[in-house]
Amino acid sequence: MDPNLQFWQSNGQSFLSRLRLWFKFLDPSSVLSSQAEIEQARTLLQNEGHTQRNEQVANAWLLSLSSVHPDTGAVISPVFRSQVFLPISAPLVVASLIPHKGIKPALFWQFLLQAYCAGFNHANRNATATKDNKTSMKQSILIVGTVAYSAFAGALPQIILKRFRLIGAVAETFSRSLLPIPLSACLAAFSVMVVRSEEADNGIRVFDSKGNAVGVSKAAGSKAIKETALSRATLFGTTAAFPTLLLALLKRAKFVQRNPMIIAPVRHVSTAIIFGLMIPVSFSLFPQFGKIKKENLEEFQSLDGHSELFYHRGL
């Protein structure tokens, strides 16, 4: 039986219940927990997690689910845990969205952002796909290629302005304000889809309603990737769009027109705030253990007594 599935079935059925949980999971202070404390929490859950319902068990669940990979049982690197996604990536997002004076700074910040996002996507993927040395090499090449391509594509607005010397007001507004919105959303989804492509190629483990593993499904892997890609596109697309709309409104205010220096701080702060608020929202859009109808899975048609199966979506 998979205890994580049982936990999410009991506590994460609705969007609001998942949102409340993610606000607790994203507490940065829990990343300071030692290996011994994490192991202690896992031991407590194995012994009492299904019978006791107290504050100690609840805290153990929060620490275990936010620190331990649900598929492998290994402790996730502190750099790629969900708790530090905001502290690490928020400065990179702000720096990547500000107007740069040259191409090199834009490429530099885009490279750092895309490299971290690719690492986060890989560390929090569904890890039940079959692996061998050949597959690992292919995945490493895909990750490097994804980072390189996404960094270049992310700097495209700056490249357009500098290389093609577009100095018109309309062209500058398009490149600096409008283009980054769909570009950020598409690159975020692209990173998830490429970095986690092995899940669709090899399949991921599926479970029955009692948490028993019943096999591996490529259709479930594809569905998990699509849902996570959509949630990541929502996160980065909204983060890029909100400051643009806010500044467009503020620029009409006489106070801002008299004090144009206030525009830059407002852009930075609003970007960081909306990004921080959207992280738990985007993580909550889809259940951590998604459902897929058995009729859509040819390899499980003969399985009796279950109309729906479950899969770990990853993050």
Side-chain angles (χ1 to χ4, degrees):
M1 286 188 160
D2 191 304
N4 296 319
L5 172 58
Q6 293 179 330
F7 174 87
W8 284 105
Q9 282 182 324
S10 302
N11 300 279
Q13 289 294 317
S14 68
F15 169 77
L16 290 179
S17 62
R18 293 193 296 271
L19 186 61
R20 286 194 295 269
L21 283 173
W22 275 115
F23 271 112
K24 295 178 181 178
F25 288 149
L26 294 172
D27 177 10
S29 63
S30 62
V31 80
L32 300 176
S33 300
S34 64
Q35 179 86 16
E37 290 174 317
I38 295 173
E39 292 297 334
Q40 208 171 37
R42 296 176 68 185
T43 302
L44 176 64
L45 294 176
Q46 290 173 358
N47 296 333
E48 303 180 20
H50 306 298
T51 58
Q52 298 293 326
R53 292 291 184 273
N54 53 45
E55 185 177 356
Q56 188 179 15
V57 171
N59 291 335
W61 272 116
L62 292 177
L63 181 58
S64 177
L65 289 172
S66 60
S67 305
V68 179
H69 198 287
D71 298 319
T72 64
V75 176
I76 301 172
S77 169
V79 178
F80 295 123
R81 292 181 198 169
S82 57
Q83 305 98 303
V84 297
F85 186 66
L86 174 61
I88 293 180
S89 58
L92 302 180
V93 170
V94 172
S96 66
L97 288 176
I98 63 175
H100 293 284
K101 293 183 179 180
I103 296 176
K104 289 182 180 180
L107 283 172
F108 173 75
W109 288 111
Q110 281 291 335
F111 173 78
L112 291 182
L113 174 62
Q114 300 302 334
Y116 179 74
C117 287
F120 183 86
N121 294 335
H122 187 260
N124 291 277
R125 72 198 186 285
N126 184 302
T128 60
T130 304
K131 280 190 171 185
D132 51 33
N133 292 334
K134 186 177 180 180
T135 303
S136 299
M137 179 63 70
K138 175 187 173 183
Q139 202 63 24
S140 299
I141 294 173
L142 284 174
I143 292 174
V144 172
T146 300
V147 173
Y149 175 83
S150 299
F152 177 81
L156 197 59
Q158 191 66 37
I159 294 173
I160 291 175
L161 283 173
K162 291 297 180 180
R163 290 301 182 189
F164 295 94
R165 301 187 182 282
L166 299 177
I167 55 176
V170 175
E172 185 170 352
T173 299
F174 173 77
S175 297
R176 291 198 184 280
S177 301
L178 299 180
L179 183 56
I181 298 173
L183 192 60
S184 297
C186 290
L187 290 178
F190 171 77
S191 178
V192 173
M193 296 181 74
V194 177
V195 170
R196 294 180 52 176
S197 59
E198 65 175 347
E199 296 171 36
D201 295 338
N202 300 328
I204 61 175
R205 190 179 297 132
V206 290
F207 306 85
D208 61 22
S209 58
K210 296 181 180 179
N212 299 310
V214 296
V216 173
S217 167
K218 293 182 180 181
S222 297
K223 192 168 183 284
I225 294 172
K226 290 176 183 177
E227 290 174 347
T228 307
L230 182 57
S231 70
R232 205 74 90 244
T234 301
L235 169 61
F236 282 89
T238 304
T239 301
F242 183 82
T244 299
L245 296 174
L246 178 62
L247 291 176
L249 295 174
L250 288 178
K251 286 179 180 178
R252 299 179 181 180
K254 293 182 179 179
F255 173 76
V256 176
Q257 292 174 357
R258 291 195 301 266
N259 302 275
M261 296 294 289
I262 200 175
I263 292 177
V266 169
R267 178 191 290 114
H268 304 341
V269 173
S270 62
T271 299
I273 291 175
I274 194 65
F275 183 70
L277 292 175
M278 281 301 299
I279 287 176
V281 172
S282 66
F283 287 176
S284 305
L285 288 179
F286 300 97
Q288 280 305 107
F289 277 84
K291 297 179 182 179
I292 188 167
K293 293 186 179 298
K294 188 182 70 174
E295 61 192 39
N296 297 331
L297 307 174
E298 293 183 3
E299 59 268 46
F300 298 106
Q301 292 296 318
S302 59
L303 191 65
D304 296 328
H306 302 284
S307 60
E308 291 181 327
L309 297 175
F310 299 84
Y311 59 89
H312 172 231
R313 179 175 65 84
L315 189 61

